[in-house]
Amino acid sequence: MNTVSDAMALSGVPRTLLLTTRARVEEHQRPDGIFRDPDIAQWWPALSWDPALDPVYSPWVQLSWAVRAQVLDQMVQRHLATYANVVVVELGAGLSTRYYRVGQGCRCWLELDVPEVIALRRQVDTETSQHRFLAASALDSRWLDAVPAGPPETLLILAEGLLMYFEAAQVQQLITRLKQRFLGATFLFDAVGGITQGRWAQQLARLEAPLRWFIRNEHDIPALGLSVLEVRSLPQDICRYPHRLGWFRWVPWLSKLPPFRNASLILETKLKT
């Protein structure tokens, strides 16, 4: 399989898709992997790893992003089991294969990302009437018109590893626009705070992908115009896999402390009035 040259052309925030992609590939390859992702494993040989990402990648990071993917998969599956004719919009989708893992029972799944990322996806994935690709920034309101009409409660909007790269005002702007069009829809996303504001944020800033939006905890979320339905602490979810913690055996204890518990939160919310 030929190497996709566009992967090396990515810079800034789009380049981070290689980190999460590699994390899923390695999880798929593990005998004790928490999920299987054969599609991303098939795409991976066509991509070019960027050595500049080495300082921010580690077994701990790999496990963290694998667990995050699994938690969001479970939330999506629950939504699909609750409603019929579900429409899913995955913002900042990168090379997500969630549609293939859990989403093929939906009415329509939209993968949205900036044009250079969608161009990369088109080289490894195939668009269909059910599984569509949208080349746009999540902050560009024109993509809202591409969402199929339907009852708002059936709509699921997902942003994995995205909002923390926006300014606080941009996050609020996005949520306000979503509320104006899709009031009552479900919005799944992750947010960072606590110790993530330290060394990890500095490393990403050196890669020209600075983290910009931080929260203290889930109590910051209602002020944005969202009703919080469920909160999952990623550090605490990671503790469900003690055999994978290695030198981080102390994490279960630390994950109860606010700076660690709130380092990464996964939130299921509703767009409310």
Side-chain angles (χ1 to χ4, degrees):
M1 185 179 295
N2 295 328
T3 299
V4 178
S5 59
D6 300 68
M8 292 300 290
L10 297 175
S11 61
V13 175
R15 181 165 56 169
T16 64
L17 72 83
L18 292 172
L19 293 165
T20 52
T21 299
R22 178 176 171 180
R24 300 200 319 278
V25 170
E26 293 183 354
E27 194 62 32
H28 170 78
Q29 293 171 340
R30 289 183 63 96
D32 61 347
I34 61 177
F35 58 78
R36 293 286 171 252
D37 199 337
D39 293 280
I40 201 62
Q42 182 178 1
W43 299 351
W44 183 245
L47 303 176
S48 298
W49 174 250
D50 186 344
L53 299 173
D54 288 341
V56 297
Y57 195 82
S58 67
W60 173 254
V61 167
Q62 186 278 323
L63 176 61
S64 299
W65 282 332
V67 172
R68 182 179 69 180
Q70 173 71 352
V71 171
L72 287 166
D73 280 0
Q74 292 169 349
M75 290 179 167
V76 171
Q77 287 176 303
R78 183 172 62 199
H79 191 88
L80 289 169
T82 301
Y83 301 103
N85 298 315
V86 169
V87 172
V88 178
V89 182
E90 192 158 7
L91 305 179
L95 293 180
S96 171
T97 46
R98 180 163 287 114
Y99 166 75
Y100 296 109
R101 292 199 305 273
V102 300
Q104 295 185 65
C106 70
R107 171 188 168 199
C108 182
W109 190 292
L110 304 179
E111 310 275 13
L112 182 140
D113 214 316
V114 293
E116 60 265 37
V117 173
I118 292 299
L120 175 59
R121 172 178 282 276
R122 291 185 186 280
Q123 295 184 58
V124 294
D125 198 6
T126 302
E127 188 171 15
T128 68
S129 59
Q130 183 189 28
H131 186 209
R132 295 164 50 197
F133 310 154
L134 299 178
S137 165
L139 299 175
D140 182 349
S141 61
R142 289 174 293 183
W143 68 262
L144 302 173
D145 295 330
V147 178
E153 63 271 14
T154 66
L155 176 62
L156 176 63
I157 302 168
L158 170 63
E160 179 182 10
L162 174 67
L163 299 187
M164 62 284 296
Y165 294 107
F166 294 162
E167 300 285 355
Q170 294 174 317
V171 174
Q172 182 63 80
Q173 179 187 61
L174 172 63
I175 292 172
T176 299
R177 287 174 173 169
L178 293 178
K179 286 174 56 180
Q180 290 170 346
R181 293 289 294 270
F182 309 121
L183 198 64
T186 297
F187 188 25
L188 300 182
F189 61 94
D190 58 317
V192 297
I195 63 169
T196 303
Q197 299 176 73
R199 182 170 175 267
W200 176 245
Q202 295 169 3
Q203 290 177 323
L204 287 172
R206 286 193 286 269
L207 291 172
E208 300 179 341
L211 301 179
R212 303 180 186 278
W213 180 56
F214 301 96
I215 65 172
R216 292 170 299 175
N217 53 45
E218 66 269 27
H219 301 299
D220 290 346
I221 300 304
L224 298 173
L226 300 170
S227 176
V228 178
L229 303 180
E230 184 181 6
V231 182
R232 300 277 291 268
S233 166
L234 181 57
Q236 293 179 359
D237 273 303
I238 291 169
C239 295
R240 294 184 294 137
Y241 305 94
H243 64 291
R244 302 273 298 273
L245 297 180
W247 288 103
F248 293 91
R249 295 187 185 95
W250 35 263
V251 167
W253 176 74
L254 284 178
S255 70
K256 299 178 182 179
L257 302 179
F260 293 86
R261 184 259 184 192
N262 301 324
S264 181
L265 298 178
I266 302 171
L267 300 118
E268 180 181 10
T269 71
K270 282 281 188 182
L271 300 169
K272 68 173 187 177
T273 55

